[in-house]
Every structure is written in C-alpha cells, then in structure tokens.
C-alpha cells in the first residue's frame, strides 16, 4: 500500500473544510506524515479597474492577508496543539489552481478537502473548488463530506 508521507489539506474555515481537516489530521497521525494546511486568498483581480476604492488595493490586500493569517493562527492553535509535524501556507490566487500547485510544490501524496466550502450550495454534489480539484489534479484527492450534507 502507498505510504502517505506528505498530506496537503485545503481549508477555507467552513464547517465542511474543518471536518475534512480532522480527517487529514487523523491520517497524518496514522501515517506519521507531514501535514500542510493551505488557505488560498481569493484574488480580487476582477475589481481592478472597475472601482476606485477608498483605500488602495495594496492596503486592502495587506488587510486581507493579515486577517487570513490571524484566522490561520487561531485555527492551528485550536486544532494542532498536540501535533508538531505541520506547516501552514497562505497564498493568493485561484483556490483550485493553488491547491494543485502547492501539492506539486510540496510533493504531496494526498490532497484532502471538503465537498463544500463557504459558498454552501448543498444541493450540488460538489462545490466548484472541490469539483475542479478532483477533475484536474494529477495527485490523489480525498473529498470529505459533512454528515449533514448527505441528506
Ligand atoms: P467549494 O468547492 O468552494 O465549495 O469548497 C470545497 C472545499 O475546497 C472546501 O471545503 C475546502 O476544503 C476547499 N477550499 C475552498 N476554497 C478554499 C480556499 N480559498 N482555500 C483553501 N481551501 C479551499
């Protein structure tokens, strides 16, 4: 059986991704694997040129990044206090591209993500990030469904 030495879990801090994270952590413990916890900041590229923001884009991006860092820190403090072999990654971009890109860069043996994210849409089988990662990733992907999403 293939060993999972490196596992990448994608978190958007939704209930679904928190649930997927618990599965990834359990697997990382079982296989003594390194766990990468990835959050992608959706780039507001479409806004450029359409609006004249009150604060500069640089300032806005800085604040979004600061907020993401704080959320990640609090998430890791809460969930990883008894697990050392992990690294947090925060990158800007398109979530599905970055999830696959970071899996490649970190030579992950497995990508773990929730079937749904912050956008909800529980009537569809997969959210759009989940669907794109499953379709496009050359690496194994484990999608984890929250119990209440199955009905
Ligand atoms: P979605 O397909 O957007 O409903 O989300 C499905 C899953 O993809 C979530 O449960 C997360 O595991 C992952 N995901 C979605 N957006 C992001 C993001 N911005 N950063 C990291 N992971 C994400």
């Amino acid at each position: 059986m293939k060993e999972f030495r490196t596992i990448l879990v994608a978190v958007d801090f939704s209930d679904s991704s928190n649930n997927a994270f618990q599965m990834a952590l359990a697997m990382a413990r079982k296989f003594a694997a390194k766990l990468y916890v990835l959050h992608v900041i959706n780039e507001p590229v479409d806004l450029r040129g359409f609006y004249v923001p009150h604060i500069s884009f640089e300032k806005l991006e800085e604040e979004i990044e600061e907020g993401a860092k704080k959320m990640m820190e609090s998430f890791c403090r809460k969930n990883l206090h008894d697990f050392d072999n992990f690294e947090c990654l925060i990158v800007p971009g398109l979530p599905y591209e970055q999830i696959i890109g970071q899996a490649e860069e970190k030579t992950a043996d497995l990508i773990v993500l929730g079937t749904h994210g912050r956008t909800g849409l529980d009537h569809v089988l997969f959210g759009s990030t989940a669907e794109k990662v499953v379709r496009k990733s050359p690496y194994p992907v484990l999608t984890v469904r929250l119990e209440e999403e199955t009905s």
Side-chain angles (χ1 to χ4, degrees):
M1 185 189 162
K2 181 168 167 59
E3 299 256 329
F4 296 114
R5 293 183 198 285
T6 306
I7 297 172
L8 182 140
V9 60
V11 298
D12 63 359
F13 309 111
S14 61
D15 288 349
S16 180
S17 96
N18 291 357
N19 183 53
F21 168 85
Q22 294 304 333
M23 175 71 85
L25 178 58
M27 291 183 76
R29 288 189 205 277
K30 174 139 185 82
F31 292 102
K34 172 143 190 177
L35 185 63
Y36 284 99
V37 186
L38 169 68
H39 177 66
V40 184
I41 299 173
N42 259 307
E43 281 218 310
V45 278
D46 293 347
L47 300 179
R48 268 176 222 272
F50 284 95
Y51 301 117
V52 181
H54 295 296
I55 52 173
S56 71
F57 256 106
E58 285 66 31
K59 184 83 187 131
L60 182 65
E61 279 175 354
E62 257 173 44
E63 290 197 2
I64 290 172
E65 203 181 316
E66 255 332 287
K69 272 188 196 157
K70 281 193 185 136
M71 281 188 88
M72 182 64 104
E73 271 165 26
S74 126
F75 182 85
C76 291
R77 218 176 308 118
K78 185 168 160 214
N79 293 290
L80 287 159
H81 48 86
D82 60 349
F83 186 83
D84 290 334
N85 197 12
F86 75 92
E87 204 176 301
C88 296
L89 306 166
I90 299 179
V91 296
L94 276 179
Y96 84 92
E97 277 183 6
Q98 287 300 328
I99 291 167
I100 297 172
Q102 291 295 317
E104 178 173 19
E105 201 170 310
K106 305 298 181 192
T107 58
D109 302 303
L110 180 69
I111 296 172
V112 181
L113 71 172
T115 51
H116 295 86
R118 301 179 69 81
T119 45
L121 299 177
D122 41 358
H123 58 283
V124 293
L125 187 59
F126 272 150
S128 69
T129 302
E131 199 247 328
K132 286 193 188 109
V133 173
V134 167
R135 268 199 304 118
K136 293 176 189 262
S137 171
Y139 315 107
V141 179
L142 172 67
T143 61
V144 187
R145 181 179 285 262
L146 246 185
E147 227 165 82
E148 51 260 42
E149 288 172 353
T150 53
S151 53

